[in-house]
């Protein structure tokens, strides 16, 4: 059966551009982003890995470790990485897994045979410090992912894991959030001293609780 939200992220050991890595040891107590792309030396993937490298500080700020998966061999990763650095004006220093045997790809359901028999699709998993899968997205080869959205989702996941809130459509860090339905308005008023705006009994907003 394929992986679902809330499942424990499968552990693995793999060769990467940063040496042999055990996934759980690599993550430690951090959050993790594990993402696949179809192949080395492809244009969209070049921009995706470059964009990820350019967001290094944003991932670090959020205590997130990033790991890419590619079914190409290590020597190809090393030479392609030079192109990414050159064309995207970055230094790619997060690990790229050499998953020639598709061990990780199969473990995480990154092969979608009706899309491609040989290449992984663009799967992305966000994994919490408890090693549970918090989010999965799957894009086709032809569409590069929006990494601002990945950061936005991480902000929401981290906030909603700490407070009894949910984030509305198109929410961005700093904007008002929604009080979860399981909390009564009376309790919400006590819990959220910045105030609770009741639009409907089931639709209640409060300022983002972890901001000064
Ligand atoms: C790319 O990464 O550029 C790509 C890969 C497979 C199909 C189309 C685009």
């Amino acid at each position: 059966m394929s992986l679902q939200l809330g499942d424990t992220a499968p552990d693995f050991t793999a060769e990467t551009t940063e040496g042999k890595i055990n996934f759980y040891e690599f993550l430690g107590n951090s959050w993790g982003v594990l993402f696949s792309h179809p192949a080395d030396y492809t244009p969209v993937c070049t921009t995706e890995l470059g964009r990820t490298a350019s967001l290094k500080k944003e991932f670090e700020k959020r205590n997130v470790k990033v790991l890419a998966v590619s079914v190409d061999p290590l020597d190809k990763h090393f030479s392609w990485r030079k192109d990414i650095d050159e064309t995207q004006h970055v230094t790619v220093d997060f690990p790229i897994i050499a998953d020639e045997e598709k061990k990780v790809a199969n473990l995480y359901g990154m092969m979608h045979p009706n899309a491609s028999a040989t290449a992984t699709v663009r799967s992305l998993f966000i994994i919490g410090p408890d090693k549970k899968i918090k989010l999965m997205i799957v894009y086709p080869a032809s569409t590069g992912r929006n990494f601002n959205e990945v950061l936005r989702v991480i902000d929401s996941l981290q906030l909603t894991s700490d407070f009894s809130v949910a984030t509305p459509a198109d929410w961005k860090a700093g904007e008002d959030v929604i009080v979860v339905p399981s909390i009564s308005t009376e309790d919400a008023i006590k819990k959220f001293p910045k105030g609770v705006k009741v639009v409907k009994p089931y639709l209640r907003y409060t300022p983002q609780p972890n901001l000064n």
Side-chain angles (χ1 to χ4, degrees), residues 101-141:
E101 289 169 13
K102 303 186 174 69
K103 208 174 97 181
V104 177
N106 286 325
L107 209 50
Y108 277 83
M110 293 163 167
M111 301 298 302
H112 292 210
N114 291 327
S116 167
T118 52
T120 46
V121 290
R122 298 185 195 282
S123 293
L124 186 147
F125 293 81
I126 298 179
I127 294 150
D130 57 0
K131 308 291 183 293
K132 302 284 185 208
I133 296 172
K134 307 295 183 187
L135 176 127
M136 301 186 288
I137 58 170
V138 184
Y139 275 44

Side-chain angles (χ1 to χ4, degrees), residues 124-185:
L124 186 147
F125 293 81
I126 298 179
I127 294 150
D130 57 0
K131 308 291 183 293
K132 302 284 185 208
I133 296 172
K134 307 295 183 187
L135 176 127
M136 301 186 288
I137 58 170
V138 184
Y139 275 44
S142 51
T143 305
R145 285 159 285 202
N146 182 335
F147 287 83
N148 292 322
E149 170 63 2
V150 174
L151 293 174
R152 190 192 76 86
V153 169
I154 291 168
D155 287 339
S156 172
L157 290 170
Q158 294 185 339
L159 179 71
T160 59
S161 73
D162 289 343
F163 296 92
S164 304
V165 297
T167 57
D170 295 339
W171 173 86
K172 288 192 288 304
E175 295 177 353
D176 286 358
V177 298
I178 286 174
V179 177
V180 293
S182 58
I183 296 194
S184 68
T185 298

